[in-house]
Amino acid sequence: MKLTAWRVALRIARRDALRAKGRSALVVAMVALPVLGVTGADVVFRSADLDPAERVVRAMGQANAQLQLVERGAIIMQAPDPDTGYDMESPEAAEQENGRPKYTPEQRRSLDTEPAELARQLLPPGSTLIPERRGPFTSTSTAQGLLSVQTTEADLNDPVWKGRIDLVKGRAPGAGHEIAVTQAFLDRSGLKLGDRTAPRGLEATPYTITAVVEYPGELRATELVARPGSLIDPLNAYAAGQGSRRNPSDDRTDRWLVKLPAGATFDWPKVSELNQYGFTLAARNIMLDPPARSDVPYYVKEDQRKSGGTSYFDRTRVVILATVMGMALLEIVLLAGPAFAVGARRSRRQLGLLAAGGGDRANIRAVVLGGGIVLGSTGAALGLGLGLGTVALVRTHAEEYAGQRFGHFDVQPLDLLGVLAIGLVTGLLAAVVPAVQASRQDVVAALTGRDSLKPPSRKLALLGLLMLGGGAALALLGSTGGFGNTSLAVLGGSAVAELGMVALTPYLVGLFGRIGRWLPLGPRLALRDSVRHRGRTAPAVAAVMAAVAGSVAMGIYTFSTDEQQRREYTAGAPAGAVTLDSGWGSAADGKLLPQMRNAVESSIPGLGTRADVQKVGYKGDCAVTEGSCGFVTVNMPKERRCPLDANGFVDISDEEANRLRKEDERCKSGHTSRSNTFGALVSGDATVLHNLFGITDPAVGQALAAGKAVVFDPKYVKDGTVLVELTEPQDRSAAKPGKPVEEVVHEVAVDAYLATAVIPTAGQTLITPDTAHRLGLTTTDAGSVWLPETAPTDGAEQKAMGALSKLADHTYLQVERGYHSQRDLVTLGLTAFAALVALGAAGIATGLAAADSQRDLTTLAAVGAEPRIRRTLSGFQCGVIATMGTLLGVVAGVVPAVALLKVEAAAAVFPGMSPEQVANRSLVVFPWLNVGVTVVVLPLLAVVLATLLTRSRISLLRRSG
């Protein structure tokens, strides 16, 4: 066709679009919605992906570099930006010579020199080191109680911190007892600027909040930022006074910002030199202008390791995303198709006049395709503008939701052109089938308003059947193939299968017509009318099928993943039990447990008998001594243990390890997750047996009281005993750099009683405090468990949580309510959306059928049919379309759902999983109830709505021709 012909066709299409505003708005909205989503996602992704200059500012503020000591005596191999990756060779891996490690001169110097002094020696003369000093987590006072926070020291008056720590509000701390806090701290604490907060141990000297700061890359940080020397040293002094034996290396500064003298700079050889001493260096000029990839040993090693591949989990995300997006676009095409079919149907006289005036089939196709171009481009432009505007409007909320600031509002023209092309192609594809049908209509029939009825094409039906079978096979078999084929196989196979179902639709509509002989008059007339006018029925059925297929696919996917999670859920206690644990915050030492228990019991009525649980320790409690303690657990007999779980270093190749995980039953993990929060070995009496494990058998309580260990996993019991494994404390402060500290482990056999708990308790054991003390172990109050007759209400649980928050932060209170499905709202939304779209498509087709059936209705009225026959006929016409589309959609939705589940299952299965876990990962659950409701209720609803919204009065028409 010539360009002038296309201009005429587009002009006609634009006029028709303006004439039928409702139909045009429907198509524009269908195209605009996905374009809006893709545009918003693209702009958000681009804006959140920092460019090198922005990454530099986030990492080092206004400094020239950031220097970090990874480990004294280590040898580093880093990327130009070490945050993206580095490899480390520990000094412990050095070659041995005469029983002593053979260090390089650089390693020896690193081991013998203090890190800060070594950094000054290695950096250019005149360089300034600004320590990045991170203190311990501590608890500080709030409006309600205590809150756990991270502590940091930085002079915010120094502009070097700008971009790394930004001053948002107030003024930088100037005096010793002034402090800056993050917005997240203010939100959680209930404090404001000018208020005071006192870290635990420093209550006599509280700090005044003078500023609000933020880390642009970590907006959710709950942190106190003080002037250098004003916070961390007092906290350490308090901890030392309390007898806490912190590892001295915990307080060592191992990261600095570096300011170079005028004219000085870093080069890649200098970075490599620092790597030999155990440092990584992120230099501003190198990150902005990195060396060639082949000149970076870290990249060379990574390329050899990956061989251009991609991790399987990344491939899985690509396959799922590509399939969802591709199927969504296909369904938009199918949903918009009936609207173009309606337009072509109503314009058939106009198109007939065009053909009578000398226009060929190409001209007629161009007019209908022009509608796709006009509406597709309009919808794409509208969606693009709305997407950009939406992101700009919600940018601040999006940043807070993501937890980091955007680098800048990044709009990529090429990306947006691609998005516009997607919208235009979507509109064109939706208009292709109506255009071809319009170009094939008989000119005389179009001018007189008569239909030219043709039988369904058997060749098209055969092709559709082959596409359905071949697409399903391709998607299902390809979902377990390699990456090169998986994306194309799953997406292409699912799309081909659904298009095959579309191609089959005209033939299947004819098959549906055969059941008309058994139906009453109204449904029989509606069914035969739909069969006779397949040209308008098939697109409407395909649209309903597309909506239902999407709903069914997501239903299968969500039901299957939900069932997987249900089977893998591990209860922490019997149903309805209330568990209190001191947690890991300010109450970790257990000193606040009496007040916490009172708070819970006063907030939740009818808790019943309380069972107090003790943690079992060996030579100290790590929660108090911070690392200087032993460790105690239970273990299986040696012959039942996986060789890979042996203590110390296991010299086994990766191939041998994978073989053991696949073939050795001892190395298949199964459900090894602990069910409760107190640990593998806990201490308590018979009330703990009842409340925590659900055991009421008196014999078990008697065995516990007699000094036996109650074991709940038969794999741990041999010859009536269980092995308690004791690991001696390690004094890491006395360890020399480069020399590993060897673990000293020994085992004690304890008489055991095998019991069966009501919850999964893999590897768990209960002993009394007397038994623990007899074995040389210690017990520490850890928490309590109640088992009321009925589970507490949500209101009572929230009241208890509020009471606990006033005492301490990061405590643990859990009411065991069993597994809670997360799919209900999602499934309901999908079903409602499918119903809405299906009803819309059926309604469009019904309106077109009503217009086409006007002469038939006139004939019925002439022979004495009652006026309500119009309403009845319209209702059943809508019901017929909804029924056929729903049934076909159920079949079409199975393929993509099963294919995606197989892709996820292949990614989730790894060596060492138990057969039960493997079976759970590959589980496919069909939502029979939801599908049944859709198949039955949706057509009935379509019949009722169409019947109520159609007028009974029939206008008699003059027959033409």
Side-chain angles (χ1 to χ4, degrees):
M1 282 181 59
K2 295 181 179 181
L3 182 60
T4 54
W6 273 107
R7 289 176 58 186
V8 173
L10 291 174
R11 211 161 44 235
I12 295 173
R14 182 177 62 85
R15 184 190 63 188
D16 289 345
L18 293 175
R19 183 181 300 162
K21 293 182 177 62
R23 187 178 70 247
S24 300
L26 177 66
V27 177
V28 168
M30 287 182 179
V31 175
L33 283 177
V35 171
L36 185 153
V38 174
T39 300
D42 178 78
V43 174
V44 169
F45 174 78
R46 293 288 190 178
S47 301
D49 186 23
L50 306 181
D51 61 31
E54 293 163 343
R55 284 198 296 270
V56 165
V57 174
R58 291 276 174 95
M60 63 192 70
Q62 304 305 311
N64 297 104
Q66 183 187 56
L67 182 71
Q68 180 179 1
L69 176 67
V70 179
E71 183 178 346
R72 296 177 68 177
I75 297 176
I76 306 297
M77 187 184 298
Q78 70 163 77
D81 179 2
D83 285 342
T84 63
Y86 65 83
D87 282 341
M88 180 187 73
E89 181 182 325
S90 173
E92 300 168 358
E95 296 182 5
Q96 299 288 319
E97 184 177 303
N98 298 325
R100 302 181 63 183
K102 183 180 179 181
Y103 296 128
T104 66
E106 293 84 359
Q107 285 180 297
R108 175 54 61 190
R109 186 177 174 187
S110 176
L111 292 169
D112 296 340
T113 310
E114 283 299 314
E117 178 60 28
L118 179 61
R120 294 188 184 93
Q121 296 174 8
L122 296 174
L123 293 174
S127 300
T128 303
L129 291 178
I130 303 170
E132 292 188 50
R133 196 175 183 196
R134 304 279 285 186
F137 275 94
T138 188
S139 299
T140 190
S141 62
T142 67
Q144 293 84 20
L146 295 173
L147 180 65
S148 181
V149 294
Q150 172 72 60
T151 54
T152 302
E153 290 183 350
D155 183 5
L156 298 179
N157 291 303
D158 189 339
V160 74
W161 293 101
K162 184 179 180 181
R164 177 168 174 78
I165 306 177
D166 289 338
L167 186 64
V168 177
K169 194 185 303 180
R171 61 173 180 83
H177 289 283
E178 293 182 341
I179 204 165
V181 301
T182 59
Q183 186 62 48
F185 172 82
L186 292 183
D187 294 340
R188 298 181 60 189
S189 66
L191 301 178
K192 60 183 183 299
L193 283 177
D195 288 344
R196 305 172 104 191
T197 183
R200 193 176 184 189
L202 306 181
E203 290 84 359
T205 55
Y207 291 77
T208 302
I209 301 173
T210 65
V212 178
V213 297
E214 75 174 20
Y215 291 87
E218 193 179 356
L219 298 180
R220 298 192 184 98
T222 305
E223 196 155 324
L224 305 180
V225 182
R227 288 182 57 81
S230 65
L231 178 60
I232 297 177
D233 289 339
L235 286 174
N236 290 336
Y238 167 75
Q242 295 297 308
S244 175
R245 291 175 286 176
R246 286 173 51 83
N247 190 340
S249 64
D250 294 341
D251 301 324
R252 185 188 66 208
T253 300
D254 58 6
R255 183 179 292 190
W256 303 265
L257 298 182
V258 181
K259 290 197 293 187
L260 294 176
T265 186
F266 288 110
D267 55 18
W268 187 245
K270 187 64 176 180
V271 175
S272 300
E273 177 190 350
L274 289 166
N275 290 163
Q276 302 304 307
Y277 293 89
F279 291 100
T280 61
L281 181 73
R284 179 182 295 271
N285 63 302
I286 293 177
M287 290 178 63
L288 294 177
D289 185 19
R293 190 175 182 87
S294 58
D295 294 335
V296 181
Y298 173 79
Y299 285 152
V300 174
K301 184 178 179 181
E302 285 294 297
D303 291 342
Q304 293 173 349
R305 182 186 306 166
K306 293 183 178 180
S307 299
T310 309
S311 75
Y312 194 87
F313 294 100
D314 290 341
R315 300 201 301 263
T316 302
R317 287 195 291 268
V318 169
V319 172
I320 292 175
L321 183 62
T323 303
V324 171
M325 292 184 62
M327 294 303 294
L329 290 177
L330 174 61
E331 299 208 355
I332 291 168
V333 170
L334 295 177
L335 290 171
F340 287 106
V342 169
R345 191 80 173 173
R346 291 184 175 176
S347 303
R348 58 182 175 176
R349 179 173 176 79
Q350 172 184 285
L351 297 176
L353 289 172
L354 179 62
D360 57 16
R361 289 187 174 185
N363 297 120
I364 297 175
R365 284 196 298 268
V367 171
V368 181
L369 289 174
I373 295 174
V374 170
L375 297 180
S377 57
T378 302
L382 179 63
L384 184 66
L386 289 176
L388 292 174
T390 301
V391 175
L393 188 64
V394 303
R395 173 177 177 174
T396 301
H397 299 289
E399 290 173 337
E400 293 174 352
Y401 180 79
Q404 63 177 12
R405 297 291 180 202
F406 290 168
H408 63 284
F409 195 76
D410 193 355
V411 178
Q412 294 288 331
L414 289 179
D415 289 2
L416 300 186
L417 285 175
V419 173
L420 283 173
I422 290 175
L424 180 59
V425 170
T426 301
L428 270 174
L429 291 177
V432 166
V433 174
V436 172
Q437 290 177 339
S439 66
R440 292 179 177 177
Q441 68 180 346
D442 183 79
V443 177
V444 176
L447 293 174
T448 59
R450 295 195 182 102
D451 287 328
S452 54
L453 304 178
K454 298 179 180 179
S457 172
R458 294 183 179 272
K459 292 182 180 180
L460 181 62
L462 180 60
L463 177 62
L465 186 61
L466 293 176
M467 291 173 64
L468 176 61
L474 179 63
L476 298 178
L477 296 178
S479 60
T480 56
F483 175 63
N485 299 322
T486 300
S487 296
L488 182 60
V490 175
L491 171 58
S494 301
V496 168
E498 189 156 338
L499 289 175
M501 188 66 76
V502 173
L504 270 172
T505 300
Y507 187 79
L508 294 176
V509 168
L511 294 182
F512 276 109
R514 297 184 179 181
I515 65 174
R517 68 188 69 177
W518 294 291
L519 297 178
L521 176 62
R524 186 165 69 249
L525 288 175
L527 183 58
R528 289 181 175 176
D529 181 73
S530 299
V531 172
R532 206 165 61 237
H533 300 92
R534 293 185 184 88
R536 68 162 188 256
T537 304
V541 171
V544 177
M545 180 193 73
V548 174
S551 174
V552 170
M554 288 304 299
I556 294 174
Y557 183 84
T558 55
F559 268 76
S560 299
T561 53
D562 183 73
E563 183 61 25
Q564 293 171 16
Q565 295 168 3
R566 183 189 302 278
R567 294 190 180 191
E568 294 175 358
Y569 173 76
T570 303
V578 179
T579 303
L580 173 68
D581 190 344
S582 56
W584 59 271
S586 55
D589 56 8
K591 294 179 180 179
L592 293 176
L593 272 174
Q595 298 97 304
M596 294 165 64
R597 287 166 175 148
N598 290 335
V600 173
E601 290 177 334
S602 61
S603 301
I604 304 177
L607 284 175
T609 305
R610 187 183 77 213
D612 293 337
V613 183
Q614 289 86 39
K615 293 185 296 185
V616 178
Y618 179 59
K619 295 185 179 180
D621 184 357
C622 291
V624 178
T625 58
E626 300 192 33
S628 180
C629 62
F631 182 73
V632 57
T633 187
V634 292
N635 209 341
M636 289 182 285
K638 291 183 178 180
E639 64 273 11
R640 298 178 187 172
R641 300 176 197 168
C642 175
L644 301 176
D645 296 335
N647 293 316
F649 177 73
V650 181
D651 187 12
I652 297 179
S653 65
D654 291 342
E655 293 78 9
E656 177 64 14
N658 286 331
R659 187 194 66 80
L660 288 172
R661 293 188 184 100
K662 290 179 181 178
E663 300 177 3
D664 195 329
E665 292 298 325
R666 299 173 299 173
C667 298
K668 294 184 178 180
S669 57
H671 292 285
T672 58
S673 58
R674 191 169 66 238
S675 61
N676 65 62
T677 182
F678 298 112
L681 180 62
V682 295
S683 176
D685 54 17
T687 56
V688 176
L689 275 176
H690 176 259
N691 290 6
L692 184 58
F693 300 104
I695 294 177
T696 57
D697 187 355
V700 182
Q702 294 171 4
L704 180 68
K708 292 186 177 182
V710 178
V711 184
F712 306 98
D713 191 336
K715 295 194 299 291
Y716 285 76
V717 179
K718 180 185 178 184
D719 299 331
T721 62
V722 64
L723 294 178
V724 177
E725 185 177 274
L726 307 175
T727 303
E728 295 293 331
Q730 297 179 355
D731 189 2
R732 296 187 181 276
S733 62
K736 295 181 179 180
K739 293 186 178 180
V741 179
E742 295 184 1
E743 288 187 345
V744 179
V745 179
H746 52 276
E747 297 172 340
V748 177
V750 180
D751 290 340
Y753 186 94
L754 183 62
T756 302
V758 298
I759 58 174
T761 48
Q764 292 206 268
T765 300
L766 175 68
I767 58 176
T768 62
D770 291 339
T771 303
H773 299 154
R774 177 170 54 84
L775 296 172
L777 307 176
T778 59
T779 57
T780 307
D781 208 3
S784 300
V785 183
W786 296 265
L787 187 59
E789 293 184 1
T790 59
T793 63
D794 287 338
E797 183 181 0
Q798 293 174 17
K799 183 179 178 181
M801 292 290 290
L804 289 174
S805 67
K806 296 179 181 179
L807 297 173
D809 61 304
H810 297 299
T811 58
Y812 177 91
L813 180 69
Q814 178 70 42
V815 178
E816 182 53 60
R817 303 185 187 276
Y819 176 74
H820 284 274
S821 174
Q822 303 297 320
R823 62 173 166 77
D824 295 338
L825 185 60
V826 175
T827 305
L828 179 62
L830 287 170
T831 304
F833 172 76
L836 181 64
V837 174
L839 289 173
I844 291 173
T846 303
L848 181 58
D852 282 349
S853 303
Q854 196 70 31
R855 292 176 178 82
D856 295 335
L857 294 173
T858 300
T859 302
L860 288 173
V863 298
E866 297 181 2
R868 62 181 177 83
I869 192 65
R870 172 185 171 87
R871 178 176 293 177
T872 305
L873 183 60
S874 295
F876 284 119
Q877 282 175 332
C878 193
V880 165
I881 292 170
T883 301
M884 290 189 288
T886 302
L887 293 175
L888 297 180
V890 170
V891 177
V894 173
V895 174
V898 175
L900 288 181
L901 287 170
K902 286 175 69 67
V903 170
E904 279 202 339
V909 174
F910 53 86
M913 292 181 66
S914 68
E916 181 182 2
Q917 288 176 313
V918 173
N920 288 342
R921 293 294 195 279
S922 56
L923 193 67
V924 177
V925 177
F926 197 80
W928 293 105
L929 179 60
N930 290 52
V931 171
V933 170
T934 302
V935 170
V936 175
V937 175
L938 184 59
L940 291 178
L941 186 60
V943 171
V944 171
L945 290 177
T947 302
L948 294 177
L949 297 177
T950 303
R951 293 180 302 172
S952 299
R953 183 178 178 182
I954 299 176
S955 300
L956 297 179
L957 299 177
R958 179 177 61 86
R959 297 297 298 263
S960 60

